[in-house]
């Protein structure tokens, strides 16, 4: 069983940067593939980024590629999402998720989910 707790969300202006974090419980964090998803009001939850077990590889949605960076610190059981050049359309609740398989990284088929952290980008 893995528990995930996101933090670091907030209100920023367009063009700003923000780093959100996801702390995971358990001693097997390094064996999980980690992903970030987001859900804007009235929209479906969508894939943002994923990282496999150690230092990569990493995967990104086209809308964030080049602006967002996913990373992980297995010693701290934490995965990060560094978000640069934020846009109002990045406004959403951001969720981290964990799974043991690397199959279907961009789908919602993850085993564990956090409660989410709100990111709001003003124009």
């Amino acid at each position: 069983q893995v528990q995930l707790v996101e933090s670091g969300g907030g209100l920023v202006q367009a063009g700003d940067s923000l780093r959100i974090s996801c702390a995971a419980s358990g001693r097997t964090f390094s064996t999980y593939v980690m992903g970030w998803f987001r859900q804007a009001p009235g929209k479906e939850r969508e894939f943002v980024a994923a990282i496999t077990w150690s230092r990569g590889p990493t995967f990104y949605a086209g809308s964030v590629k080049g602006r967002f960076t996913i990373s992980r610190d297995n010693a701290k059981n934490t995965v990060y999402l560094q978000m640069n050049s934020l846009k109002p359309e990045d406004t959403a609740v951001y969720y981290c998720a964990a799974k043991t398989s690397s199959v279907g990284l961009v789908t919602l088929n993850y085993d564990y989910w956090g409660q989410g952290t709100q990111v709001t980008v003003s124009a």
Side-chain angles (χ1 to χ4, degrees), residues 5-120:
V5 179
E6 301 93 337
S7 63
L11 173 63
V12 298
Q13 294 185 334
D16 284 353
S17 297
L18 190 67
R19 189 179 78 163
I20 56 178
S21 303
C22 173
S25 65
R27 295 174 290 179
T28 59
F29 174 75
S30 62
T31 66
Y32 285 89
V33 172
M34 301 300 297
W36 283 102
F37 292 77
R38 66 187 182 186
Q39 187 166 17
K43 295 188 177 181
E44 295 184 348
R45 192 172 299 189
E46 64 176 4
F47 169 78
V48 175
I51 186 167
T52 53
W53 300 274
S54 185
R55 297 185 179 182
T58 54
F59 304 86
Y60 297 94
S63 59
V64 307
K65 196 169 187 178
R67 299 189 298 123
F68 290 11
T69 301
I70 187 172
S71 61
R72 66 190 298 163
D73 185 336
N74 288 338
K76 295 182 178 180
N77 279 16
T78 301
V79 61
Y80 305 97
L81 186 67
Q82 176 68 43
M83 303 181 290
N84 298 330
S85 302
L86 281 161
K87 305 175 181 180
E89 50 263 44
D90 294 318
T91 295
V93 177
Y94 283 72
Y95 299 89
C96 74
K99 63 188 298 183
T100 55
S101 170
S102 63
V103 176
L105 286 176
V106 305
T107 71
L108 298 178
N109 189 25
Y110 279 66
D111 301 312
Y112 305 101
W113 291 85
Q115 293 301 306
T117 186
Q118 177 70 47
V119 173
T120 303

